[in-house]
Amino acid sequence: MSKAFLASVLQESLDCTGVAANRAASALVDSIVHQLKTTGGFTLPSFGTFTVKKTKARKALNPRTGEPVKVKAGKTVRFKASPSLKKDV
């Protein structure tokens, strides 16, 4: 799913202009990102939960050369589907 797809769905359902729908889609995505940054989690009822997890520094292999490479510690976003979404899919 892309932001353009989200904007087109909003445009059809709200019967608004493409510019307004694009602005609404951008605001929606920005607010989700802000929520993840500030609280570390975001839940959409009947869809699922997004959480921010810290990853440890580790060693990996370069697939092209096979040489060991150091990977820095960081953060990643995980998603857990709700039971109703699992049932529907």
Side-chain angles (χ1 to χ4, degrees):
M1 180 180 350
S2 65
K3 198 182 290 187
F5 173 76
L6 195 59
S8 68
V9 170
L10 287 171
Q11 183 180 2
E12 290 176 16
S13 66
L14 297 175
D15 195 29
C16 63
T17 65
V19 174
N22 194 13
R23 204 175 306 144
S26 293
L28 177 66
V29 171
D30 291 343
S31 64
I32 291 171
V33 170
H34 178 71
Q35 185 73 14
L36 286 170
K37 283 182 180 180
T38 56
T39 64
F42 179 76
T43 301
L44 282 171
S46 74
F47 186 72
T49 302
F50 296 88
T51 55
V52 177
K53 297 287 184 180
K54 292 182 180 180
T55 58
K56 296 180 182 180
R58 59 186 168 84
K59 292 182 183 178
L61 292 178
N62 182 337
R64 186 175 296 172
T65 62
E67 295 177 8
V69 179
K70 291 182 181 178
V71 178
K72 295 179 182 178
K75 294 179 184 176
T76 188
V77 178
R78 304 279 171 98
F79 175 73
K80 182 178 179 186
S82 71
S84 62
L85 177 65
K86 289 179 182 179
K87 186 180 81 172
D88 291 343
V89 174

